[in-house]
Amino acid sequence: MRKKEKKHNFFNDVYEVVRLIPKGRATSYGAIAAYLGTKMSARMVGWAMNAAHSDKTIPAHRVVNRNGLLTGRFHFKTPKTMQQKLEKEGIRVKKDQIVNFKEVFWDPFQSLG
DNA sequence: GGTCTGACCGGCG
DNA sequence: ACGCCGGCCAGAC
């Protein structure tokens, strides 16, 4: 038996999905969790983002909560970083919330299957 | 090694 | 409409 046999790496799955988010789009923690089959573990997605902080290839700024609110902005370098990155990609943000989130929303089910 | 918390979400009063 | 509560899993103390 191998010592470090990884099981379903939930975090890793989260990272891969997040990496697939197209530029100019955003999704929610719950959507990712639901796509991975554990919609009740939306919190873990957020926690995964925290762990993903060390991995710069993960566009964590494209992940917001179900309201399109930039709840995780305080975990970035500065509280404005998240918004600035989003605006740079063409996403309008008002009062820490994505404008037209419904349109900007990227559904993993729709895009990945 | 038990306990608490967290970048969430849905349900209920 | 608003506020509170439970559930999920992993990491910190």
Side-chain angles (χ1 to χ4, degrees), chain A residues 30-102:
Chain A
I32 295 172
Y35 177 72
L36 296 179
T38 57
K39 63 178 180 186
M40 275 187 262
S41 305
R43 289 178 121 200
M44 295 303 95
V45 178
W47 198 248
M49 292 295 98
N50 190 25
H53 198 270
S54 58
D55 193 333
K56 295 184 293 190
T57 65
I58 301 173
H61 62 279
R62 295 186 190 143
V63 184
V64 296
N65 75 347
R66 71 179 188 274
N67 299 315
L69 202 63
L70 280 53
T71 51
R73 69 197 157 186
F74 293 113
H75 291 263
F76 285 80
K77 197 170 182 183
T78 76
K80 293 183 183 175
T81 308
M82 191 172 186
Q83 177 171 343
Q84 288 174 347
K85 283 180 180 246
L86 289 172
E87 289 179 335
K88 202 170 174 182
E89 298 183 355
I91 298 177
R92 281 170 296 164
V93 178
K94 194 159 204 166
K95 292 189 198 131
D96 302 321
Q97 185 169 14
I98 294 179
V99 181
N100 287 337
F101 183 54
K102 194 175 64 178

